[in-house]
Amino acid sequence: MTFIVTRVYAQEAQATDSKPQRIISLAPHTTELAYAAGLGSKLIAASDYSDYPPQALALERVANYRGIKLERILALKPDLVLAWQGGNPPREMAKLEQLGIRIFYSHPTTLEAIADSLETLGTFADDPTTANQAASDFRQTMAQLNQQYGHQKPVRYFYQLGISPLMSMSGDHWPSQIFALCGGENIFADSPVAYPQVSKEQVIVRRPEAIFTTHGSAGPDANAFNIWLPWREQLSAVRDQHLYQTQADWLNRPTPRALLAAQDICKQLDEVRKNHP
């Protein structure tokens, strides 16, 4: 449904030849997508944590985890708002729509959808060349990774999402798609909950060959995997030091930088294969 909505708006823009000139982004990933699609010069405001590319840091902030600054957004008179489907408050978004503000709802749930988003955003640009090239490059890199790693021996992994409580992800939710591209096999793929709370015992019983987590801009956390040290003999991932940290924004945001995470993860899973032929 998300992409039906956005494509209607794109067709509308093409039909009227009315390209937006004042764009507001309400999520970090839509800010990244906008810049990648060649819309950066039209952005006038963004959400907190919109920190990539660096020029996004200069944009006024009109949204955060608590909601959006509705009055300020209206005062800025945008002719297009980029919103996170499911992440921005629906009541306020409905008010913006009622006031006639065009909204692009974004919620890529697959890697291919990132390329689709770039192309759709390109229809709002004065020249779609940048967006189309970015989408093409993304698909090409994704295909190369799939060809090189996608058919290799599966590697069982655990994605450590938080420690207190200890959480992970199911097989259908982001960023499991990135691991799947590299031949990773999620030990909690069958979870009925998108981001389940799990126990250490559940992880040990499922015997992951690799454990992954993320790190922030300060770099890897030397203590990220300390909770597993007492089970070194039970977990080959710990015993063989197959413990990996990936830059959080690369892995967690559905943007072109997701393939930077994929490139790292593919190499790391291949390292596990070589140690366990």
XYZ file of all heavy atoms in Angstrom, residues 20 25 83 99 104 125 150 228 234 249 259 263:
94
model
N 7.868 19.936 -6.787
C 7.977 20.602 -5.488
C 9.304 21.345 -5.354
O 10.336 20.907 -5.863
C 7.880 19.453 -4.487
C 8.309 18.243 -5.262
C 7.831 18.470 -6.657
N 11.510 16.667 5.319
C 11.653 15.234 5.601
C 11.414 14.981 7.078
O 11.992 15.649 7.932
C 13.047 14.749 5.203
O 13.266 13.437 5.675
N 7.457 11.372 4.565
C 7.077 10.825 5.866
C 7.409 9.343 5.965
O 7.499 8.633 4.963
C 5.582 11.035 6.106
N -5.026 19.609 4.796
C -4.695 20.983 4.439
C -4.083 21.087 3.042
O -3.626 22.153 2.636
C -3.745 21.569 5.480
C -4.368 21.773 6.868
C -3.293 22.074 7.896
C -5.394 22.911 6.817
N 4.714 12.113 0.641
C 5.324 10.891 0.139
C 5.555 9.985 1.339
O 6.359 10.287 2.213
C 6.659 11.217 -0.557
C 7.465 10.009 -0.989
C 7.383 9.530 -2.286
C 8.321 9.368 -0.097
C 8.141 8.431 -2.682
C 9.074 8.270 -0.485
C 8.978 7.794 -1.779
N 12.108 15.463 -8.747
C 13.284 16.283 -9.045
C 13.112 16.998 -10.377
O 12.363 16.562 -11.251
C 14.538 15.404 -9.082
N 25.013 -15.115 -2.321
C 23.644 -15.566 -2.049
C 23.429 -17.056 -2.121
O 22.470 -17.580 -1.545
N 28.249 -13.180 26.503
C 28.372 -14.541 25.976
C 29.647 -15.241 26.436
O 29.815 -16.443 26.185
C 28.329 -14.512 24.441
C 27.096 -13.850 23.917
C 27.008 -12.680 23.234
C 25.756 -14.317 24.082
N 25.699 -12.379 22.953
C 24.908 -13.362 23.455
C 25.188 -15.439 24.685
C 23.522 -13.507 23.416
C 23.800 -15.591 24.647
C 22.989 -14.628 24.025
N 30.097 -23.498 24.616
C 28.823 -23.910 24.022
C 28.527 -23.191 22.703
O 27.762 -23.697 21.882
C 27.673 -23.650 25.005
C 27.685 -24.560 26.224
C 28.520 -23.995 27.359
O 29.282 -23.043 27.162
N 28.389 -24.579 28.537
N 23.706 3.006 11.490
C 22.928 3.695 10.456
C 22.969 2.951 9.128
O 21.995 2.974 8.368
C 23.439 5.127 10.266
C 23.139 6.001 11.471
O 22.307 5.595 12.300
O 23.743 7.083 11.588
N 23.740 -1.155 1.589
C 24.646 -2.058 0.882
C 26.073 -1.975 1.418
O 26.865 -2.895 1.205
C 24.616 -1.773 -0.619
C 23.306 -2.152 -1.318
C 23.438 -1.977 -2.824
C 22.902 -3.596 -0.990
N 27.952 -5.357 2.319
C 29.303 -5.720 1.893
C 30.141 -6.222 3.063
O 30.877 -7.206 2.941
C 29.972 -4.519 1.215
C 29.377 -4.192 -0.146
C 29.859 -2.865 -0.709
O 30.265 -1.971 0.028
N 29.807 -2.714 -2.018
